[in-house]
Amino acid sequence: MLRVGLTGGIATGKSTVAAMLRELGCHVLDADKIAHRLIAPGAAAYEDVVREFGRGILTSDGRVDRQKLGAIVFANPARLARLNAIVHPHLLEALDQELTAIERAEPHAIAVVEAALLIEAGYTKKLDCLVVTWCAPEQQLARLMQHDSGRGLTREQARQRIAAQMPTEEKRRMADEEIDCSGSLEHTREQVVALFAKLKQIALAGSK
């Protein structure tokens, strides 16, 4: 099985590319969604997160309010590092389990792990290929501040989110493949289709 990492800065088009790869037949694991499951009541990281950040981050029904938690951690790098230290070990274990299950069911599959902190978490050493999405910094800011996209952050909040991640240029230097998401959706799709063809060839060669 070919294990592909998909990363990039926040609002650089990562989820769009992941959706296109899923449509083309890849198995896509969304690390963000898995992390959300891990901080749900009764899940592996829930108690430690509540102990660390206090019951003030909870909704009335005891769930973690991600907006409240985000406001704390993105304003303070030390708090963000602490959250990652709690969640990441459980997340990496969950990714390992899901990838193993996919490989068992479909040995020649292409599995894509979509994660913002793939490089930072040290998971790239378990992958065969790293794909990085990127766009212009001003596009990142604009996308984060758009209300119709569901984020609607202030300029200051948007800058905090971008600053909390490894710089895009640094990620691009580590990439095996890049997807430029600064143009039209069609331009992105053309690159993704070409990438998928290349990944299929690599997967085929590896299975012989």
Side-chain angles (χ1 to χ4, degrees):
M1 184 178 79
L2 189 68
R3 297 173 181 230
V4 179
L6 174 62
T7 193
I10 188 169
T12 59
K14 195 165 61 279
S15 298
T16 300
V17 170
M20 290 175 179
L21 286 169
R22 188 180 279 115
E23 281 173 19
L24 289 166
C26 295
H27 293 267
V28 179
L29 303 183
D30 183 336
D32 207 26
K33 282 186 179 163
I34 296 171
H36 297 164
R37 290 206 303 263
L38 289 168
I39 61 171
Y46 178 79
E47 292 296 342
D48 286 341
V49 168
V50 174
R51 194 177 300 117
E52 178 71 28
F53 294 95
R55 301 196 68 80
I57 62 164
L58 299 179
T59 59
S60 57
D61 62 354
R63 297 185 170 277
V64 172
D65 184 322
R66 284 170 35 224
Q67 281 194 317
K68 285 181 182 174
L69 182 58
I72 295 168
V73 300
F74 287 112
N76 185 328
R79 301 293 271 159
L80 179 59
R82 184 69 197 115
L83 176 64
N84 288 339
I86 293 169
V87 176
H88 278 173
H90 297 293
L91 174 59
L92 300 184
E93 187 180 341
L95 286 172
D96 282 346
Q97 288 171 353
E98 294 209 23
L99 286 169
T100 299
I102 292 168
E103 186 164 27
R104 194 175 293 132
E106 203 178 323
H108 307 310
I110 299 172
V112 178
V113 178
E114 177 203 349
L117 301 180
L118 205 57
I119 297 168
E120 295 89 328
Y123 202 72
T124 50
K125 61 181 178 287
K126 296 190 176 187
L127 304 169
D128 303 307
C129 174
L130 180 65
V131 179
V132 173
T133 59
W134 66 276
C135 67
E138 56 269 25
Q139 285 177 305
Q140 268 184 288
L141 268 178
R143 289 171 183 176
L144 287 170
M145 291 162 64
Q146 274 174 358
H147 284 280
D148 58 0
S149 68
R151 285 194 172 108
L153 302 178
T154 65
R155 183 171 289 273
E156 181 54 33
Q157 287 172 327
R159 287 189 188 283
Q160 280 179 348
R161 300 287 169 105
I162 293 169
Q165 295 185 342
M166 180 187 286
T168 297
E169 288 307 312
E170 205 172 321
K171 289 185 175 179
R172 287 179 67 187
R173 281 197 292 272
M174 303 174 78
D176 296 302
E177 302 287 342
E178 294 182 31
I179 302 288
D180 171 7
C181 298
S182 61
S184 67
L185 207 56
E186 199 44 52
H187 180 240
T188 298
R189 192 182 306 280
E190 285 169 9
Q191 296 172 78
V192 174
V193 169
L195 170 67
F196 178 66
K198 194 181 283 190
L199 294 176
K200 274 209 305 189
Q201 282 186 328
I202 296 169
L204 199 61
S207 67
K208 283 178 181 174

